[in-house]
Amino acid sequence: KPEELKKIVGGDVIQVQAKDAENLAKKIKEKFQLNALCREDNLLIEHAQAAEFVPKLAGTFPGEILSITLRKPSLGDVFMHLTGHSFWEQESGG
């Protein structure tokens, strides 16, 4: 069932739009020991206490974050969690 699959993510999803997403992902890993999946200018972070973590994240990296969105996981997030890439990504070279 979709709801059971969504539980695999292990929390809510924090989507962060950043000036330099790759650099911020490295800083988040160093500071909070969390993996932030980089997708274009966005980072996706899974967190069990996402609502409590968002203010800490924003306060730690002022000026580097353009926006933060907190949401429940989707089936696309489950796929990304399990495979490391989005469903619609195309492999380079065809």
Side-chain angles (χ1 to χ4, degrees), residues 19-38:
K19 291 180 179 179
D20 183 351
E22 289 185 27
N23 187 42
L24 184 58
K26 291 176 188 173
K27 290 180 179 181
I28 290 170
K29 175 75 172 178
E30 291 172 7
K31 176 73 176 174
F32 299 110
Q33 291 74 49
L34 290 173
N35 290 322
L37 191 59
C38 203

Side-chain angles (χ1 to χ4, degrees), residues 29-73:
K29 175 75 172 178
E30 291 172 7
K31 176 73 176 174
F32 299 110
Q33 291 74 49
L34 290 173
N35 290 322
L37 191 59
C38 203
R39 292 289 170 248
E40 298 176 11
D41 293 335
N42 293 299
L43 300 176
L44 298 177
I45 304 166
E46 300 169 4
H47 200 286
Q49 290 85 34
E52 292 83 12
F53 180 67
V54 167
K56 186 184 294 188
L57 178 65
T60 303
F61 303 108
E64 295 184 57
I65 296 174
L66 301 173
S67 70
I68 298 176
T69 305
L70 175 62
R71 60 183 171 78
K72 296 293 181 192

Side-chain angles (χ1 to χ4, degrees), residues 80-92:
M80 197 174 311
H81 175 87
L82 294 173
T83 66
H85 58 86
S86 70
F87 184 75
W88 298 110
E89 270 184 35
Q90 294 181 358
E91 293 181 21
S92 47

